[in-house]
Amino acid sequence: MNLSPFHLAIPVYDLAGARTFYGEVFGLQEGRSSAHWVDFNFYGHQLVIHEQPKTAAQESVHSNPVDGHDVPVPHFGIILGWEEWEALAERLKSFGTQFVIEPYIRFKGQVGEQATMFLFDPCGNALEFKAFKDMSQLFAK
């Protein structure tokens, strides 16, 4: 699969806290920045945190049920290799990360079996990180 990098800009009401979270907790490389925004290399994609007042989605969380869990909406994330996902889960745990949905295997024994975890950044933006044992099942029904 040949993918082009995506660009995603998200709101943060605490630029310094979010900068620390993405830079230190996740270990993402920082790119350009100003007094109001910061670029990060998000696994080869461009993630930009933009300072702005708290949004409605950051004030109160909406969720939808998936595999017995309340999945926060909206959310974003990345699909990692299995070992890279496991390493990230351990890194996040070592920082004392509070998970919305603890790392676990979803859809065990079914089409689309995957490892997943959900968490919030310090400004209430929901993130999901997942991995597939069989990447050919990414879009399988």
Side-chain angles (χ1 to χ4, degrees), residues 66-69 85 101-107 114-117:
V66 178
D67 193 37
H69 294 274
W85 182 90
I101 300 174
E102 294 278 337
Y104 84 109
I105 308 304
R106 175 192 285 166
F107 309 131
Q114 60 194 258
T116 188
M117 61 182 137

Side-chain angles (χ1 to χ4, degrees), residues 55-58 60-63 71-76 118 120 124-127:
T55 67
Q58 292 167 325
S60 65
V61 177
H62 175 76
S63 64
V71 171
V73 177
H75 65 265
F76 74 96
F118 284 83
F120 288 106
N125 295 297
L127 294 96

Side-chain angles (χ1 to χ4, degrees), residues 19 36-37 105 110 117 124 126 132 141:
R19 184 181 222 160
H36 303 286
W37 56 267
I105 308 304
Q110 301 174 44
M117 61 182 137
F132 288 80
K141 292 184 178 184

Side-chain angles (χ1 to χ4, degrees), residues 6 8 12-13 31 37 44-46 50 58 61 70 79 85 88 104 114 122 124 134:
F6 68 78
L8 177 65
V12 297
Y13 54 84
W37 56 267
H45 304 281
Q46 186 184 46
H50 280 274
Q58 292 167 325
V61 177
D70 291 327
I79 299 168
W85 182 90
L88 178 60
Y104 84 109
Q114 60 194 258
D134 180 355

Side-chain angles (χ1 to χ4, degrees), residues 70-124:
D70 291 327
V71 171
V73 177
H75 65 265
F76 74 96
I78 196 82
I79 299 168
L80 300 170
W82 198 269
E83 294 79 19
E84 192 176 9
W85 182 90
E86 289 175 327
L88 178 60
E90 289 307 313
R91 178 184 178 100
L92 293 173
K93 288 176 186 176
S94 77
F95 275 90
T97 300
Q98 296 290 318
F99 293 95
V100 176
I101 300 174
E102 294 278 337
Y104 84 109
I105 308 304
R106 175 192 285 166
F107 309 131
K108 275 189 179 180
Q110 301 174 44
V111 173
E113 182 175 338
Q114 60 194 258
T116 188
M117 61 182 137
F118 284 83
L119 59 139
F120 288 106
D121 75 7
C123 297

